[in-house]
Amino acid sequence: MKVSYDLESITPHTVANTTGEGRGNTGGVALRNFCIAIDSTMFVKTGEILRKNLENKFSVPVKYLVITHYHGDHIFGIKPFKDVCVLSSEMTSKIMLNSETKSRYQVFIKDLAKEGPIGEGIEYIVPTLLFTEKLIIQDEDLFVEIFHTGGHTAGSSFISFPHEKVVFAGDLIFENTFPYAGDPTCNPELLIEALEKMKNIKADTYVPGHGPIMKGADSLEKHINFYKDLRNIIKDAISDDLDPAKVSVPDVFGEPDEGRKNVTVNTWLNFYKNK
Ligand SMILES: [Zn+2]
């Protein structure tokens, strides 16, 4: 089985893979004496190549793996990073330790193993270093800032590297595709706030959790407007007592996947009904 997982150079100190080969996008930031990996893909093999390629590219060891949120396509490749510090928001680890998530993900991992060699060997590994609102990792004159915002999931976080104006958004951004915003812990209000916070950072480059790299803070406008429009549609649907199946979503990202659309609409309806 030949698996490739190449890293694209974004700036002298940052790289990313946005090809979808590992499902969720990943990234890397090189500080002076070590580098930081961001998310681990859905597979052990791609996680392994990610680490190898980061260390080859920057000639420094990976010291930290930052997990943006608990979804399988970002955490199932953690195994090759077991000997480094794996960190996330405290909320992400809480969700991962929850028995409901654990049993749901046991099934998920078993199903992946049936898909052939690429899905084999996954271990459910919970981060060991946790932060609440914000964490800074610094090395000499360089640092990254990690912000816990919630939104896409209650534990969702994004990473900023101010030195080169790069932001790794995790699944707070899905570029060029209808987003999955139907997690049981999704909070639409925090999702919009997180996007606005990211936009205010005024980065030159945004690496989404899925889809291609985006240039400039204005590229977030489309995403903020999409979620705000969806919020209005959902609120109207509630006051009109509309059948969830009849709710139409903004068409910014083209024709949505039906399953993804339905779970997103239902999650948002429940959220605003209970508000
Ligand atoms: Zn996700």
Side-chain angles (χ1 to χ4, degrees):
M1 179 188 51
K2 179 85 184 89
V3 181
S4 65
Y5 198 73
D6 295 334
L7 298 177
E8 178 186 347
S9 200
I10 304 173
T11 59
H13 288 267
T14 65
V15 291
N17 179 298
T18 60
T19 62
E21 286 162 300
R23 304 294 167 89
N25 290 344
T26 58
V29 181
L31 303 187
R32 298 293 177 200
N33 302 288
F34 58 85
C35 63
I36 299 162
I38 299 164
D39 283 341
S40 71
T41 78
M42 187 150 90
F43 310 111
V44 175
K45 189 72 204 172
T46 41
E48 194 183 298
I49 306 174
L50 166 65
R51 178 166 180 182
K52 205 181 291 167
N53 285 348
L54 281 172
E55 293 180 338
N56 284 342
K57 161 93 185 162
F58 295 124
S59 305
V60 286
V62 172
K63 197 168 174 180
Y64 299 95
L65 168 65
V66 183
I67 297 299
T68 60
H69 67 297
Y70 81 99
H71 285 157
D73 53 339
H74 300 257
I75 65 162
F76 286 167
I78 293 180
K79 196 175 165 186
F81 294 91
K82 253 176 143 176
D83 60 316
V84 307
C85 180
V86 180
L87 67 98
S88 74
S89 67
E90 185 180 19
M91 187 54 80
T92 287
S93 109
K94 264 189 191 153
I95 298 169
M96 286 185 73
L97 291 170
N98 173 307
S99 57
E100 189 276 326
T101 318
K102 273 187 173 169
S103 50
R104 188 155 51 90
Y105 273 28
Q106 256 160 26
V107 176
F108 192 173
I109 289 169
K110 266 189 196 148
D111 288 347
L112 278 172
K114 286 180 209 149
E115 281 182 25
I118 188 72
E120 287 170 4
I122 293 167
E123 274 180 41
Y124 191 72
I125 298 166
V126 180
T128 51
L129 179 66
L130 313 175
F131 64 96
T132 49
E133 280 171 39
K134 179 182 171 181
L135 180 75
I136 297 174
I137 301 174
Q138 67 177 10
D139 179 27
E140 297 180 14
D141 57 325
L142 299 181
F143 63 93
V144 298
E145 295 174 301
I146 312 167
F147 299 95
H148 171 215
T149 58
H152 170 70
T153 68
S156 284
S157 308
F158 72 84
I159 295 97
S160 169
F161 182 51
H163 186 68
E164 291 179 337
K165 296 182 186 284
V166 181
V167 163
F168 296 87
D171 284 1
L172 293 163
I173 306 180
F174 284 67
E175 174 67 335
N176 291 352
T177 180
F178 188 85
Y180 171 64
D183 186 86
T185 70
C186 174
N187 181 320
E189 294 295 318
L190 293 180
L191 179 46
I192 292 165
E193 273 176 34
L195 287 166
E196 281 171 342
K197 185 170 181 160
M198 260 188 254
K199 186 175 178 237
N200 290 339
I201 284 177
K202 295 187 170 58
D204 291 338
T205 309
Y206 292 84
V207 181
H210 295 266
I213 284 164
M214 298 150 61
K215 291 287 174 198
D218 288 344
S219 64
L220 268 66
E221 203 58 37
K222 178 177 74 175
H223 296 268
I224 294 169
N225 291 337
F226 168 83
Y227 285 120
K228 284 185 173 171
D229 289 348
L230 182 60
R231 176 170 66 183
N232 290 336
I233 290 168
I234 295 295
K235 284 182 174 175
D236 289 347
I238 292 168
S239 55
D240 298 345
D241 206 15
L242 197 65
D243 176 359
K246 295 214 170 79
V247 175
S248 59
V249 296
D251 64 357
V252 191
F253 299 108
E255 196 58 40
D257 170 83
E258 202 55 25
R260 185 178 277 189
K261 184 206 128 180
N262 290 340
V263 70
T264 298
V265 165
N266 283 310
T267 301
W268 284 47
L269 282 170
N270 284 333
F271 180 85
Y272 285 106
K273 268 182 200 159
N274 297 324
K275 246 182 116 68

